[in-house]
Short mmCIF file of all heavy atoms in Angstrom, two decimals:
data_model
loop_
_atom_site.label_atom_id
_atom_site.label_comp_id
_atom_site.label_asym_id
_atom_site.label_seq_id
_atom_site.Cartn_x
_atom_site.Cartn_y
_atom_site.Cartn_z
N GLN A 131 34.28 172.70 -117.79
CA GLN A 131 34.80 172.75 -116.36
C GLN A 131 33.72 172.21 -115.42
O GLN A 131 34.06 171.46 -114.45
CB GLN A 131 35.13 174.16 -116.02
CG GLN A 131 36.50 174.64 -116.53
CD GLN A 131 36.83 176.04 -116.11
OE1 GLN A 131 36.06 176.94 -116.35
NE2 GLN A 131 38.00 176.18 -115.54
N LEU A 132 32.49 172.53 -115.65
CA LEU A 132 31.41 172.01 -114.72
C LEU A 132 31.25 170.48 -114.87
O LEU A 132 30.98 169.82 -113.89
CB LEU A 132 30.10 172.75 -115.09
CG LEU A 132 30.00 174.16 -114.54
CD1 LEU A 132 28.74 174.86 -115.08
CD2 LEU A 132 29.95 174.17 -113.00
N GLN A 133 31.47 169.95 -116.03
CA GLN A 133 31.38 168.55 -116.23
C GLN A 133 32.59 167.84 -115.55
O GLN A 133 32.43 166.77 -114.95
CB GLN A 133 31.28 168.17 -117.70
CG GLN A 133 29.90 168.51 -118.20
CD GLN A 133 29.72 168.15 -119.71
OE1 GLN A 133 30.69 168.03 -120.39
NE2 GLN A 133 28.45 167.97 -120.14
N GLU A 134 33.76 168.47 -115.65
CA GLU A 134 34.97 167.92 -114.97
C GLU A 134 34.73 167.94 -113.48
O GLU A 134 35.06 166.97 -112.75
CB GLU A 134 36.22 168.70 -115.29
CG GLU A 134 36.66 168.50 -116.79
CD GLU A 134 37.86 169.49 -117.18
OE1 GLU A 134 38.42 170.09 -116.26
OE2 GLU A 134 38.01 169.64 -118.36
N LEU A 135 34.22 169.04 -112.93
CA LEU A 135 33.91 169.14 -111.56
C LEU A 135 32.87 168.04 -111.17
O LEU A 135 32.93 167.47 -110.04
CB LEU A 135 33.34 170.49 -111.17
CG LEU A 135 34.40 171.54 -110.73
CD1 LEU A 135 33.69 172.96 -110.59
CD2 LEU A 135 34.97 171.14 -109.42
N GLY A 136 31.88 167.83 -112.05
CA GLY A 136 30.90 166.78 -111.76
C GLY A 136 31.52 165.41 -111.63
O GLY A 136 31.17 164.64 -110.71
N GLU A 137 32.50 165.13 -112.45
CA GLU A 137 33.20 163.86 -112.34
C GLU A 137 33.96 163.79 -110.99
O GLU A 137 33.95 162.76 -110.32
CB GLU A 137 34.14 163.65 -113.55
CG GLU A 137 33.49 163.47 -114.86
CD GLU A 137 32.62 162.19 -114.83
OE1 GLU A 137 33.07 161.15 -114.33
OE2 GLU A 137 31.52 162.28 -115.40
N GLU A 138 34.59 164.88 -110.65
CA GLU A 138 35.34 164.92 -109.32
C GLU A 138 34.37 164.74 -108.13
O GLU A 138 34.68 164.04 -107.19
CB GLU A 138 36.04 166.26 -109.20
CG GLU A 138 37.27 166.40 -110.09
CD GLU A 138 37.96 167.70 -109.85
OE1 GLU A 138 38.27 168.08 -108.68
OE2 GLU A 138 38.21 168.49 -110.88
N LEU A 139 33.15 165.34 -108.28
CA LEU A 139 32.16 165.11 -107.22
C LEU A 139 31.76 163.67 -107.06
O LEU A 139 31.61 163.17 -105.97
CB LEU A 139 30.94 166.05 -107.43
CG LEU A 139 31.21 167.56 -107.30
CD1 LEU A 139 29.94 168.32 -107.73
CD2 LEU A 139 31.58 167.93 -105.82
N LEU A 140 31.52 163.07 -108.24
CA LEU A 140 31.10 161.69 -108.22
C LEU A 140 32.17 160.75 -107.62
O LEU A 140 31.92 159.87 -106.80
CB LEU A 140 30.80 161.18 -109.61
CG LEU A 140 29.47 161.75 -110.25
CD1 LEU A 140 29.34 161.33 -111.71
CD2 LEU A 140 28.23 161.28 -109.43
N GLU A 141 33.45 161.01 -107.90
CA GLU A 141 34.50 160.30 -107.32
C GLU A 141 34.60 160.51 -105.81
O GLU A 141 34.82 159.61 -105.03
CB GLU A 141 35.87 160.64 -108.00
CG GLU A 141 36.06 160.09 -109.30
CD GLU A 141 36.00 158.54 -109.35
OE1 GLU A 141 36.64 157.93 -108.53
OE2 GLU A 141 35.23 158.01 -110.16
N ALA A 142 34.47 161.79 -105.38
CA ALA A 142 34.45 162.08 -104.01
C ALA A 142 33.29 161.45 -103.18
O ALA A 142 33.45 161.01 -102.05
CB ALA A 142 34.39 163.60 -103.75
N LYS A 143 32.17 161.32 -103.85
CA LYS A 143 31.00 160.68 -103.32
C LYS A 143 31.35 159.21 -102.89
O LYS A 143 30.85 158.69 -101.89
CB LYS A 143 29.78 160.61 -104.28
CG LYS A 143 28.67 161.51 -103.75
CD LYS A 143 27.49 161.39 -104.65
CE LYS A 143 26.62 162.59 -104.35
NZ LYS A 143 25.23 162.49 -104.86
N LYS A 144 32.12 158.58 -103.70
CA LYS A 144 32.48 157.18 -103.42
C LYS A 144 33.26 157.01 -102.16
O LYS A 144 33.16 155.97 -101.41
CB LYS A 144 33.29 156.60 -104.56
CG LYS A 144 32.50 156.38 -105.86
CD LYS A 144 33.43 155.99 -107.01
CE LYS A 144 32.73 155.95 -108.33
NZ LYS A 144 33.65 155.68 -109.45
N ARG A 145 34.06 158.01 -101.84
CA ARG A 145 34.95 157.88 -100.64
C ARG A 145 34.37 158.73 -99.42
O ARG A 145 35.00 158.75 -98.33
CB ARG A 145 36.35 158.34 -100.95
CG ARG A 145 36.52 159.75 -101.35
CD ARG A 145 38.00 160.15 -101.58
NE ARG A 145 38.08 161.57 -101.82
CZ ARG A 145 38.00 162.13 -103.06
NH1 ARG A 145 37.80 161.47 -104.14
NH2 ARG A 145 38.10 163.44 -103.20
N ALA A 146 33.24 159.34 -99.66
CA ALA A 146 32.71 160.22 -98.64
C ALA A 146 32.24 159.44 -97.39
O ALA A 146 31.77 158.36 -97.55
CB ALA A 146 31.56 161.08 -99.20
N PRO A 147 32.39 160.06 -96.22
CA PRO A 147 31.81 159.40 -95.02
C PRO A 147 30.33 159.41 -95.12
O PRO A 147 29.70 160.26 -95.79
CB PRO A 147 32.30 160.38 -93.90
CG PRO A 147 32.53 161.68 -94.56
CD PRO A 147 32.98 161.38 -95.94
N ARG A 148 29.72 158.49 -94.41
CA ARG A 148 28.27 158.39 -94.49
C ARG A 148 27.55 158.74 -93.18
O ARG A 148 26.38 158.93 -93.10
CB ARG A 148 27.83 156.88 -94.77
CG ARG A 148 28.28 156.34 -96.11
CD ARG A 148 27.63 157.09 -97.17
NE ARG A 148 27.84 156.61 -98.53
CZ ARG A 148 28.62 157.11 -99.43
NH1 ARG A 148 29.22 158.25 -99.21
NH2 ARG A 148 28.70 156.63 -100.71
N ARG A 149 28.36 158.87 -92.13
CA ARG A 149 27.89 159.34 -90.83
C ARG A 149 28.67 160.50 -90.29
O ARG A 149 29.89 160.57 -90.49
CB ARG A 149 27.98 158.18 -89.78
CG ARG A 149 27.13 156.94 -90.12
CD ARG A 149 25.66 157.11 -89.83
NE ARG A 149 25.44 157.51 -88.48
CZ ARG A 149 24.32 158.07 -88.01
NH1 ARG A 149 23.31 158.22 -88.82
NH2 ARG A 149 24.22 158.41 -86.78
N PRO A 150 28.03 161.44 -89.64
CA PRO A 150 28.70 162.65 -89.13
C PRO A 150 29.84 162.35 -88.16
O PRO A 150 30.81 163.13 -88.06
CB PRO A 150 27.64 163.50 -88.47
CG PRO A 150 26.43 162.60 -88.44
CD PRO A 150 26.59 161.45 -89.30
N GLU A 151 29.74 161.21 -87.45
CA GLU A 151 30.80 160.92 -86.40
C GLU A 151 31.94 160.19 -86.96
O GLU A 151 32.95 159.95 -86.30
CB GLU A 151 30.14 160.15 -85.29
CG GLU A 151 29.64 158.81 -85.53
CD GLU A 151 28.22 158.74 -86.10
OE1 GLU A 151 27.67 159.76 -86.52
OE2 GLU A 151 27.65 157.61 -86.05
N GLN A 152 31.95 159.87 -88.27
CA GLN A 152 33.10 159.20 -88.90
C GLN A 152 34.26 160.22 -88.97
O GLN A 152 34.12 161.36 -89.16
CB GLN A 152 32.79 158.71 -90.40
CG GLN A 152 31.95 157.50 -90.42
CD GLN A 152 31.67 157.05 -91.77
OE1 GLN A 152 30.66 157.41 -92.34
NE2 GLN A 152 32.58 156.31 -92.34
N PRO A 153 35.56 159.70 -88.80
CA PRO A 153 36.68 160.64 -88.77
C PRO A 153 36.81 161.55 -89.94
O PRO A 153 37.09 162.78 -89.76
CB PRO A 153 37.86 159.61 -88.73
CG PRO A 153 37.32 158.41 -88.15
CD PRO A 153 35.92 158.32 -88.56
N SER A 154 36.53 161.12 -91.19
CA SER A 154 36.65 162.00 -92.31
C SER A 154 35.61 163.12 -92.26
O SER A 154 35.88 164.19 -92.78
CB SER A 154 36.64 161.23 -93.63
OG SER A 154 35.52 160.38 -93.72
N ALA A 155 34.40 162.80 -91.70
CA ALA A 155 33.41 163.82 -91.56
C ALA A 155 33.79 164.80 -90.48
O ALA A 155 33.63 166.00 -90.69
CB ALA A 155 32.07 163.19 -91.26
#
Side-chain angles (χ1 to χ4, degrees):
Q131 282 180 306
L132 285 170
Q133 287 181 338
E134 288 171 17
L135 267 172
E137 291 299 318
E138 289 181 51
L139 290 172
L140 288 173
E141 284 302 310
K143 246 184 197 195
K144 292 176 187 173
R145 66 177 183 272
R148 298 292 188 253
R149 296 285 304 164
E151 65 274 18
Q152 284 181 266
S154 53

